Amino acid sequence: MAQNLTHKILAAHLVDGSSLGTPGSEIALRIDQTLTQDATGTMAYLQFEALGLDRVQTELSVSYVDHNTLQMGFRNPDDHQFLRTVAKRYGIVYSPPGTGICHQLHLENFAKPGKTLIGSDSHTPTAGGLGMIAMGAGGLSVALAMAGESYRIAMPKVVQVQLTGRLQGWATAKDIILHLLGMLTVKGGVGRIFEYTGPGVETLTVPERATITNMGAELGATTSLFPADRQAEAFLMSMGRAEDYVEWVADEGATYDETIEIDLSTLEPLAAQPHMPDRVVPVRELAGLKVSQSAIGSCTNSSYADLKSVALMLAGKQLSETTDLLVSPGSKQVMKMLARENLMEPLLDAGARILEASCGPCIGMGGSPISKGVSVRTFNRNFEGRSGTQDAQVYLTSPLVAAQVALDGQFSDPAGWGAPPQFPELPGAAPSIRHLFVFPPEDGSDVEVIRGPNIVPLENFQNLPGTIETRIQLKTGDDITTDHILPAGAQITALRSNIPAISEYIFSRVDADFVNRIKNADDGPCRGVILGGDNYGQGSSREHAALGPRHLGVCAVITKSLARIHRANLVNFGILPLILKNPADYDRLEQGSQLTIPAASIQPGGSVTIDAHGVGPVEVINDLTATELAIIQAGGLLNYVRAKREH
Ligand code: MIC
Ligand code: SF4
C-alpha cells in the first residue's frame, strides 16, 4: 500500500509488538539520535546517570549549550563544566557555549533523513526540515532514549499540507507557518504530524523548510516534516555531508488523515501580534505602529540565508535612530559564511548589535525591550513577559519585515517597499566548524564528572497514594504556557539544575502567593491540585514545569485539555493528568475547593468521580495507557524504570 513519509519513517522504527494502528493508539519507537540543550540537559544527564549505564545506546547524542550562556556568577559556568564532563564520560558529543543554537547546529551538522530524533526542547522538530521524525520531549524521556528505551507516543493523525505555487514579493517561509498558525491556532496541531507535500515543496530550501517545521511546535503538533529530496541533497552537500543524504519521500498516491492546501503565491508578509503566536494579521494592517526594537535570529530564523538577506537589505543604510536592532546568528558557521562574503560589515555599519550565537533575547537573556516597547522579532514565541519586559508588545515576523521596520522605525505596507532582496542560494561548500564539537572517547569510564554547587542531586518521589485528599491550590484560564508555570529569564533559568531553588518561582508571575500557599498546606503527601482550562502546558518542553510543582506537592492536574509534551512530563514525574468529563464543571470548581480523588480506582482510559466538598460529584476521565498509569502510581518514570531494570 502506498505510504506517506511519516508512516514510512515510523514503520522503520517501530519496536516489537507495536503497530501504526489508528490515531490515538500507543506506538513505541526506536530513537536514533537525541539532543539536549543546557537548560534542560543538566537534569536529563542526572537522570541518565541515575539509570546506571556506562554509555549512551543511541547512534548519536549531542549536548548543546545555548540557553544559559551568560556567565554572571558561578551557576551557568558550573553547569557547562558538568555538561562537558558528563558528555565525555558517557559518549555524548558536546557543543560548547557560543558555538550556536541547538536546532540550527543540529540541522547543519547532524540531522539525517529517515532517522528519529528526540530532544529536550520543544523546537526539536526543526530537524524535520531534513526529512526526519524529530520530536520535542521532556529531559527524562530523552534520558531514557539515551539508555536505549523506546519512546512511546500516541499515534498522531497525519496532516498533508499540500503546497502549490511559489512565494512572491516579500512573502517568506515564515509567512507560510504564520498563515497556518492564524488558520489553525496554537491548539490546531495537537495530536497531529504535519507532512508537507506538493509542487511548492521543491521551491523551498532546507533552511526555509526548517523555519516551518520549527514553528510547527507553536501549533502544538507532535512534529512536522518535509521530504528528503534534491533540496535536502543540496543542503547536505553545502554542509560537507553529502554522504548523509538518502532519499526519503512519500509513495505516489499516499493517503493522509487530513489535508490542507496552501497556494504559496497568494501569501503576503504576516505578523503574530502580542501575546500569542496565532494572533496573525497582515503586516500592512500594522502600518504606522512605531517599533522600538527589532531582533533577528533564534532557532527559527538565524540561518545563513536569513541573515544574508538582512545584510543585503541593510547595506548602505542606517537604522532608524529610535530602533535597536539585535542580531543573533544561529551558529558560528553562519557567522563564518557572512564574514567570508563581507556581509558582517553592512550589518555593523547599519547600527546592528551582533550578539553571540545563542538563544539570547528569545528566552529573556538580555535584549529586553523598553517599557511598553514594541519589539519585532523573528522568533517563534511572543508570550507575555517572555522578553523580560512584562508590558512589552512582541510581534513575530520574518527577517525581511524585522529589518524593514528597523530601518523605518515603524511598520508600513510592504507594497511600498520596492523590490525584495533576492533569496540567497546556499554556498557550494560552507566553511566547517566540526572541529569545535568535542567528540567523546571510545571509553570514557575513567573520566571524572565534575559537579559544582549548582548541580543538586535528584530527589526521590513517593508512590501515588490510594486516596488523594487535598484542595485546588490554583485555578488558571485557557492556553496556560509553561512560561506561565515557570518563567524564563536569566535569574530563574540559571537554577535549572537546582529543583528546590527553582520551585520558588512556580506560577510566580500568575499568582505571587502560590508557592506560599502550597507550602503551608497541611494535606500530607499531596499538597494540592491545579485546575486548568484548555491546552494547559503549551509551549516549552521544560520538565521543570512539572518537576517544580511535584517538588512542591502537586499530585494532580485537572484540565479541559493538555498540551502533549507537558502531559508527558506530568506522567514522568508522577502527577495525575485528569480531564473534566463535562467541561462545564470547570466553572463549578474554585480555587480552595477541597477534593477527594479515589486515585486507586482510576483505570486506564476510564472515568472516576471526584468528591468536590460543597460542590458535589465531578466526573473526570483520563487518556492514560496502562503503562502510564503504572508510572504515575510508582511515583514517576525513574522509579518505574529502575524497578523494571532490577527485575
Ligand atoms: C523555549 O523556547 O521556551 C525553550 C527555552 O527553548 C524551551 C526549553 C526550556 O525551557 O529549556 C523549549 O522550547 O522547550
Ligand atoms: Fe532557544 Fe528560543 Fe529556540 Fe527556545 S525558541 S531553543 S529559547 S532560540
Side-chain angles (χ1 to χ4, degrees):
M1 213 179 83
Q3 269 185 316
N4 58 49
L5 178 57
T6 304
H7 280 187
K8 270 191 182 176
I9 302 177
L10 291 178
H13 290 85
L14 281 180
V15 170
D16 298 349
S18 170
S19 83
L20 292 180
T22 43
S25 60
E26 190 184 57
I27 57 170
L29 297 172
R30 182 167 45 75
I31 298 300
D32 302 320
Q33 301 187 345
T34 64
L35 73 78
T36 56
Q37 39 88 342
D38 52 307
T40 53
T42 48
M43 285 317 278
Y45 297 113
L46 286 171
Q47 289 152 348
F48 176 77
E49 282 189 299
L51 295 168
L53 271 81
D54 213 42
R55 201 175 171 85
V56 292
Q57 306 293 304
T58 41
E59 287 176 14
L60 172 83
S61 289
V62 191
S63 168
Y64 297 96
V65 180
D66 54 1
H67 282 63
N68 282 321
T69 57
L70 298 176
Q71 297 180 213
M72 305 197 306
F74 68 94
R75 293 207 162 85
N76 294 345
D78 277 7
D79 281 3
H80 304 165
Q81 184 184 44
F82 168 71
L83 291 168
R84 180 168 54 74
T85 53
V86 90
K88 196 164 195 172
R89 168 68 186 84
Y90 295 106
I92 298 147
V93 179
Y94 176 67
S95 170
T99 313
I101 306 176
C102 56
H103 308 302
Q104 180 67 29
L105 283 173
H106 205 79
L107 189 74
E108 289 171 350
N109 298 283
F110 300 109
K112 279 191 191 172
K115 299 281 183 185
T116 52
L117 162 72
I118 67 168
S120 59
D121 192 280
S122 63
H123 292 103
T124 304
T126 311
L130 211 40
M132 69 191 297
I133 296 276
M135 293 170 285
L140 180 51
S141 302
V142 174
L144 281 150
M146 290 191 285
E149 298 274 334
S150 54
Y151 181 56
R152 291 167 184 276
I153 55 167
M155 177 63 200
K157 286 186 181 161
V158 185
V159 182
Q160 173 185 35
V161 188
Q162 169 83 2
L163 303 181
T164 57
R166 181 181 275 277
L167 291 167
Q168 306 288 331
W170 292 85
T172 68
K174 183 66 161 268
D175 303 302
I176 303 176
I177 188 67
L178 287 175
H179 171 76
L180 270 171
L181 272 157
M183 189 164 111
L184 303 175
T185 80
V186 291
K187 314 185 215 338
V190 175
R192 291 171 169 77
I193 291 186
F194 289 76
E195 181 176 322
Y196 290 81
T197 67
V201 161
E202 292 159 30
T203 68
L204 299 170
T205 64
V206 168
E208 290 178 290
R209 296 173 179 189
T211 292
I212 297 169
T213 54
N214 172 284
M215 264 189 104
E218 274 51 62
L219 290 166
T222 304
T223 189
S224 306
L225 79 166
F226 277 80
D229 56 5
R230 300 238 314 267
Q231 289 280 8
E233 186 175 19
F235 178 78
L236 285 167
M237 273 179 54
S238 161
M239 295 296 120
R241 297 201 286 135
E243 68 283 2
D244 287 343
Y245 177 68
V246 196
E247 186 185 74
W248 277 87
V249 295
D251 290 335
E252 193 90 26
T255 56
Y256 295 83
D257 297 306
E258 292 167 3
T259 296
I260 294 171
E261 282 175 33
I262 303 177
D263 177 355
L264 300 181
S265 64
T266 63
L267 297 181
E268 62 177 314
L270 299 170
Q273 310 174 93
H275 300 286
M276 270 305 149
D278 59 2
R279 298 198 59 231
V280 175
V281 291
V283 164
R284 65 185 149 77
E285 287 181 14
L286 300 170
L289 180 67
K290 298 268 183 284
V291 175
S292 53
Q293 181 191 61
S294 192
I296 297 177
S298 91
C299 59
T300 318
N301 278 120
S302 59
S303 71
Y304 160 79
D306 286 318
L307 299 197
K308 180 168 178 175
S309 52
V310 169
L312 295 175
M313 274 180 72
L314 297 188
K317 301 193 176 132
Q318 254 196 302
L319 303 178
S320 152
E321 68 176 47
T322 52
T323 314
D324 269 350
L325 173 61
L326 309 175
V327 177
S328 324
S331 70
K332 283 192 173 169
Q333 186 175 28
V334 169
M335 291 170 112
K336 278 173 66 168
M337 286 191 267
L338 294 177
R340 203 166 69 165
E341 296 180 32
N342 294 326
L343 290 168
M344 282 304 223
E345 215 169 303
L347 292 173
L348 297 170
D349 280 342
R353 297 167 64 180
I354 312 287
L355 308 181
E356 191 176 42
S358 67
C359 300
C362 179
I363 188 192
M365 300 290 173
S368 298
I370 56 171
S371 295
K372 298 195 171 62
V374 170
S375 177
V376 176
R377 302 180 158 209
T378 67
F379 308 170
N380 46 36
R381 292 191 168 142
N382 58 349
F383 302 144
E384 194 172 2
R386 183 175 159 104
S387 64
T389 303
Q390 198 58 31
D391 57 7
Q393 306 290 312
V394 177
Y395 291 76
L396 306 174
T397 70
S398 72
L400 300 186
V401 173
Q404 188 64 43
V405 298
L407 288 171
D408 297 343
Q410 59 180 355
F411 277 100
S412 55
D413 186 342
W417 295 353
Q422 256 208 333
F423 190 79
E425 298 270 323
L426 283 166
S432 169
I433 56 162
R434 219 172 160 77
H435 62 286
L436 298 178
F437 297 108
V438 183
F439 289 89
E442 277 300 315
D443 178 359
S445 49
D446 56 4
V447 173
E448 186 202 350
V449 178
I450 306 177
R451 289 160 225 273
N454 202 38
I455 308 286
V456 172
L458 298 179
E459 178 178 352
N460 279 322
F461 292 125
Q462 290 178 6
N463 295 5
L464 188 76
T467 306
I468 299 173
E469 291 283 357
T470 190
R471 64 181 70 235
I472 295 175
Q473 294 288 9
L474 186 72
K475 179 173 179 176
T476 73
D478 289 343
D479 292 326
I480 283 292
T481 70
T482 47
D483 282 82
H484 288 110
I485 306 174
L486 176 69
Q491 190 196 354
I492 305 177
T493 308
L495 299 171
R496 289 289 184 88
S497 8
N498 184 341
I499 299 303
I502 207 167
S503 298
E504 296 292 321
Y505 296 93
I506 294 294
F507 284 118
S508 57
R509 303 244 171 94
V510 174
D511 178 344
D513 195 40
F514 172 77
V515 171
N516 238 337
R517 205 158 54 233
I518 193 161
K519 278 188 169 171
N520 291 325
D522 53 3
D523 291 337
C526 276
R527 310 171 74 86
V529 164
I530 310 290
L531 177 65
D534 256 324
N535 200 24
Y536 179 84
Q538 65 155 328
S540 150
S541 70
R542 65 189 70 147
E543 64 189 5
H544 303 72
L547 202 37
R550 175 68 209 250
H551 169 81
L552 294 170
V554 170
C555 52
V557 170
I558 305 174
T559 62
K560 293 185 190 168
S561 66
L562 275 160
R564 179 187 75 92
I565 305 178
H566 189 62
R567 175 191 173 282
N569 285 335
L570 292 174
V571 172
N572 283 355
F573 296 105
I575 298 180
L576 262 176
L578 299 173
I579 301 160
L580 291 166
K581 182 160 188 191
N582 176 5
D585 281 341
Y586 171 85
D587 299 320
R588 294 169 59 217
L589 295 169
E590 288 310 329
Q591 196 159 301
S593 298
Q594 181 75 32
L595 309 177
T596 303
I597 307 176
S601 318
I602 294 177
Q603 297 297 322
S607 81
V608 289
T609 305
I610 295 179
D611 178 13
H613 306 202
V615 173
V618 170
E619 214 172 331
V620 289
I621 51 177
N622 71 77
D623 56 1
L624 298 166
T625 64
T627 313
E628 286 174 331
L629 190 59
I631 290 168
I632 295 169
Q633 280 160 345
L637 186 55
L638 215 45
N639 290 354
Y640 176 84
V641 172
R642 278 190 295 210
K644 203 178 77 177
R645 285 185 174 234
E646 274 158 24
H647 290 127

